[in-house]
Amino acid sequence: MTQKSSEGVRPDEPAEIGRRVQRLRGERGLTQRQLAEPAYTPAYVSTLESGKVRPSEAALRHLAARLDVSYEELATGRPAHLAAGVRLRLTDARRALATGAPEDAAALFGALHEEAVEHALVAEQADALLGLGDCLLESGDLTGARDRFAAVERLLADEPLPRRVPAIRGRATTHLLSGELRYACYLLESTLDELDTAGLHDPDALLLLYTASIAPYMDMGAHARAAHAAELALALAPRVDDPALVAGMHRGVARTLIAEGRIAEADASLAKAQELYRQLHIRTELAHCHWMRGYVHAQDGDLERAETELRTARGILASKRAALFTEQVEVELADVLRRRGRAEEAEALLRPLLTADDDEAGGAGTLGAGSLGAGRGAVHAGGAHRLLGLIAEERGDTESAEEHYCAALSLLERSSAVGDLADLCRLLGDLLRRTGRVEAAMDAYRTGLGHRAAPGTTTLGPAPATPPM
């Protein structure tokens, strides 16, 4: 196995280096003696050129100076400053993803990945794949994104665990958006435990993992764990220099504040995140802040401001062609519209969002083919069916309402979103009771109580160890 130098360069195999030295020496008209002296012998150069010895870093540096090339070019065959150029263009691709459409940024990341593979730039290959994964995640291709994140983990298998954390967090996010909440929690928690066991208390890695764990914890009803993760994230923030990580922390913490009824503090936390994202020109995350502020206002009963924020979020996400996130915002916007007495407008927004497969599985009528479903945005798909059930019930169509509630129940049971499940079981139980099916209503209520009895404890193992702060 080849060894890295003090500069992190991984030299080629001896035979390749030998051929390169011989070629460059011939191009410059040097004898083996001229190349070797004064530090080495002609015999050493001959042995090196035949590939029979692995040159030390000191020998390579001597030979590189005599051949008038960089150490990296002699050791790897890569042109000088190639890696720096690729890294600079990776930064440009990240900027393109932050400000533009994911498809356009993906083309840049794809080209950079090919170049990095051609020149065996492992770190740059990983960063390009990570960028591709983020592009696919934003555009809604969860399977493609998951494959890219897993490829990064394989590529960096020999690197320290903190180096792989962004890819692990990305893979966990794809499972969260697919509705696999328990597995998302497992990935994040097992990585936290592994970091702790190895004594790798990297602040950036820990902040990324704790922030990412808040959403699945909240959706599963594990509010105590979410609050603890938020506390740890807040404690870590002063040790982190990346403003994007800090902004993400503020956005995640706001979810726990909302759940605790601390609306003003949640809004203040989101305002901090929003300002950081605005300064960084990260439009997707800025949209997420508008989205969550809309949710905050809706929880506080200010539906007019909620609609304004949600429409702003929707506009930004649609302009970036972030399809899945746009559809999820539309579900929350539809909820606000229904509460404002505009049920027809809400229904028109919801129906195109649901996939045909989920409609057939839930028996909810012939809705338009859309994108949200069991494998993609399952929690919001359940929310869309719930809203359509409420709208149907309000207009007296109890049969359609029941079908939508059952479709939502099927989606949410698969995702373990216990808070939403309990609310849905209450709605279904009330409907069944009003239509005279008391026993069926009791079953629905019992199901809901079962999900609320011990939120999170039946699906999650012991909490991750708390790192030293």
Side-chain angles (χ1 to χ4, degrees), residues 23-331:
R23 175 178 58 78
L24 290 169
R25 180 176 63 79
E27 289 173 357
R28 286 151 179 75
L30 297 174
T31 65
Q32 290 179 338
R33 182 178 298 278
Q34 289 172 321
L35 181 59
E37 291 179 343
Y40 298 93
T41 65
Y44 176 75
V45 172
S46 176
T47 305
L48 188 153
E49 288 184 348
S50 66
K52 295 177 181 177
V53 63
R54 177 178 294 284
S56 66
E57 182 179 333
L60 282 175
R61 290 193 181 282
H62 166 80
L63 297 172
R66 301 286 288 163
L67 293 167
D68 194 27
V69 296
S70 70
Y71 164 76
E72 181 178 355
E73 186 171 353
L74 186 61
T76 67
R78 294 193 291 267
H81 310 304
L82 175 70
V86 172
R87 286 194 292 271
L88 185 63
R89 281 177 287 145
L90 280 167
T91 301
D92 292 339
R94 276 283 167 196
R95 189 176 299 114
L97 176 59
T99 59
E103 296 93 334
D104 300 333
L108 297 175
F109 281 119
L112 287 166
H113 178 252
E114 289 179 7
E115 187 174 346
V117 169
E118 179 184 352
H119 296 288
L121 297 168
V122 175
E124 288 72 20
Q125 286 180 54
D127 288 344
L129 283 169
L130 190 66
L132 279 169
D134 288 336
C135 291
L136 292 167
L137 184 66
E138 190 165 307
S139 65
D141 182 355
L142 301 182
T143 301
R146 190 176 303 141
D147 290 344
R148 299 311 188 282
F149 294 135
V152 174
E153 292 179 64
R154 290 193 297 272
L155 196 61
L156 300 179
D158 294 332
E159 297 288 325
L161 180 56
R163 183 79 175 83
R164 302 196 299 277
V165 162
I168 295 168
R169 176 258 193 179
R171 192 154 59 92
T173 302
T174 66
H175 287 289
L176 169 66
L177 293 173
S178 297
E180 298 165 335
L181 307 183
R182 282 177 290 179
Y183 192 66
C185 288
Y186 164 76
L187 281 176
L188 297 167
E189 291 189 342
S190 60
T191 305
L192 284 164
D193 279 334
E194 193 175 344
L195 284 170
D196 186 68
T197 300
L200 299 170
H201 302 121
D202 181 278
D204 287 17
L206 291 170
L207 184 64
L208 196 60
L209 292 167
Y210 281 122
T211 300
S213 67
I214 291 172
Y217 282 156
M218 293 296 294
D219 287 342
M220 292 185 69
H223 293 169
R225 284 204 189 181
H228 185 55
E231 289 171 8
L232 293 172
L234 282 165
L236 285 162
R239 298 166 55 193
V240 171
D241 294 325
D242 186 345
L245 288 181
V246 175
M249 179 275 299
H250 283 302
R251 187 159 63 87
V253 166
R255 278 203 70 172
T256 66
L257 295 172
I258 294 166
E260 294 169 5
R262 297 156 66 182
I263 301 300
E265 292 172 71
D267 197 45
S269 187
L270 288 169
K272 291 177 188 176
Q274 211 164 348
E275 182 56 31
L276 285 169
Y277 287 134
R278 191 176 287 112
Q279 292 173 8
L280 295 167
H281 305 289
I282 304 179
R283 286 175 55 76
T284 299
E285 302 301 335
L286 179 62
H288 277 78
C289 288
H290 283 291
W291 177 357
M292 193 169 286
R293 291 188 90 173
Y295 178 76
V296 169
H297 293 313
Q299 291 292 101
D300 202 31
D302 191 343
L303 300 181
E304 184 177 355
R305 288 180 69 188
E307 182 180 347
T308 299
E309 292 284 3
L310 291 170
R311 287 195 183 279
T312 300
R314 182 192 184 203
I316 295 172
L317 293 168
S319 71
K320 289 188 88 278
R321 302 202 290 274
L324 177 57
F325 295 139
T326 303
E327 292 156 1
Q328 291 178 324
V329 169
E330 287 175 342
V331 174

Side-chain angles (χ1 to χ4, degrees), residues 356-369:
D357 288 345
D358 285 319
D359 299 336
E360 290 164 9
T366 55
L367 306 185

Side-chain angles (χ1 to χ4, degrees), residues 327 330 346-355 367-372:
E327 292 156 1
E330 287 175 342
E347 189 172 9
L349 197 60
L350 290 168
R351 285 190 175 275
L353 301 180
L354 296 169
T355 63
L367 306 185
S371 297
L372 297 177

